Amino acid sequence: MSTDTTEKTDVLIVGSGFGGAITAYHLAAGGAKVTILERGPWLETSEFEHDFLLGSSYTRAFDFVIGDGMSILGGNCVGGGSVVYFAAMPRAPRFVFERHGSIGRRMWPAELTRDTLDPWYDRVSESLPVSTQDWNDVSYAGGLWAAACHHSGRTANPAPVAVDNSTCVNCNWMMAGCRFDAKRSLLTNYLPAALAHGATIRPLHEVQRLARTDDGGYRVHYSVIDAEDYRVHTGAGAIDAKIVILAAGAGATPVILQRSAEALGELPHAVGRYFSGNGERLNTAVLNEDRVREVLGLSREDGIAYEANQIGKGPTVACWDRLDGSLPEYERYSLEQLYFPPGLGTILAQVPGADSPAWFGPRKKEMLARWKSWLTIFLMTEDDNEGVFGAPPATGNAFRISQQMLGRGSLRYDPTPNTRRGWALADAECKEIMERDGLATVEPWTNDVVGAYTVHPLASCRIGDDPATSALTPGHELRGHPGIFVTDGSAVPGALTVNPAMTIAALAERAVPGIVRAARERGIDVGYGAPAPDGGTSGRRGVAGLPVVGSAVRR
């Protein structure tokens, strides 16, 4: 096999979300030549638009893939999901790391617990940074959700966020990118720091497959994507690398590996299996404004009780009462207030109390007229990792249906009774909280249109101790394929019951020392020990001297 390509790099990273940006920064800061290939566009702050028109930042930066029983909404731009996420950054509960899930035994590597991951959480918190909010920071919707929880005997807490509340204008356009740089996406920390250390980012470069080179490295084949019509390929190429890091997301990383199997050889059984949608559900509560005023005693300056669905910023308040490790598995979940903008949110919301299906028709039209009085509740439960990817499409992670955003994928998801029970328990509690004393009427979003849905895909190439049920070693290296690492959400073993960005980022930070060691063994002159992107070092103290998979290598 020839290795005479015109381009070579030390480390080739596929994707620029948390798993790609964090590893890119540390490896570039350590002296490696790092190249990032990102299938989406590179949007500047000025390009983040406040509309949902075709061709706006909303459709350019998202990827919505409809599968069989499960659909995935993810980022598709430089910065990945961090550009379009709601920036909620809780740490996973302690019990998550002891979960058994569908395999009937602990699914996480033995060395990984909340205690061993906490120092890496600290590094992420310093690097973004993550803010602890108080009640003065929450949105109207968050305050109403907290009041409803309190009224029903529950507790609620402001969620930790990667948002600078001093510059946030509460426009609620976080899913289209933050034009005020208040949201601390990767465009404001790890990625510019990686660029400052010499890393290069190539937008609109979609990786198709990997192959081996004669020198023990890998050749990464890519297509160049048209900036307006993502179905059109305008060119192709290949880059040779000694280390490849896949961070294309849990809906794309396994597809790239599946398509590469013919050239790479046998892949671990778990590649493209055990997919988790983070157990996610959405409920819409249509509030009775009079009852909000009478029961909760709430009103705004203009005398309106609420009518504030569109004001604020993503999730600001969560109820974590059910995040109790003493409860049985599949009975633990979080309930989080969330703003979901027009589009899927209005289509999939069902009319409370109507005969099923109730996502269209005259009563839905009446419901839409009251959209300002909606409150959306996001449920994150424990699922059974039942998703499986079928044969990969010829190119990309899905068969693209429209110019941007929409595609049809090969994921098959048939929820088990365990998963359905978790959904039902969370749905029932949400209904009990919001319908008490006539505050609102509540209904889950329909699954009839696009199946279940997730904005936090996980576990399709997960880490673990058991080669039969995990695609990666505890150090995130692809089993049987030294030099290939996976550091995105697909490496997370299972549902987390909270927003997963913080955990994905912490796992990526934890994986870096082992990747550095592998890079040095492959002849790359690279060290480890960079501070936070802004130069901070306090977050490093917690990991000093810790035993790390692969061991830390420092210059």
Side-chain angles (χ1 to χ4, degrees), residues 323-341:
L323 298 185
D324 181 349
S326 68
L327 294 172
E329 197 168 1
Y330 306 105
E331 293 186 14
R332 302 170 296 201
Y333 50 81
S334 62
L335 308 174
E336 185 177 83
Q337 153 270 330
L338 172 70
Y339 173 70
F340 211 98

Side-chain angles (χ1 to χ4, degrees), residues 292-317:
V292 168
R293 182 181 298 105
E294 295 162 3
V295 175
L296 301 181
L298 299 181
S299 65
R300 288 162 45 200
E301 294 84 349
D302 53 9
I304 297 173
Y306 174 60
E307 285 193 353
N309 185 49
Q310 77 280 21
I311 303 171
K313 49 180 178 290
T316 58
V317 175

Side-chain angles (χ1 to χ4, degrees), residues 69 74 81 98 139 178 194 246 301 367 473 491 517 534 549:
E98 306 302 323
S139 63
C178 180
L246 292 171
E301 294 84 349
M367 178 184 172
T473 69
R517 178 187 179 189
D534 68 354
V549 173

Side-chain angles (χ1 to χ4, degrees), residues 31-53:
K33 181 180 180 182
V34 175
T35 303
I36 304 171
L37 300 185
E38 166 59 53
R39 70 180 178 186
W42 195 338
L43 301 176
E44 302 290 337
T45 300
S46 60
E47 295 180 84
F48 296 137
E49 298 163 280
H50 288 183
D51 64 52
F52 299 104
L53 300 176

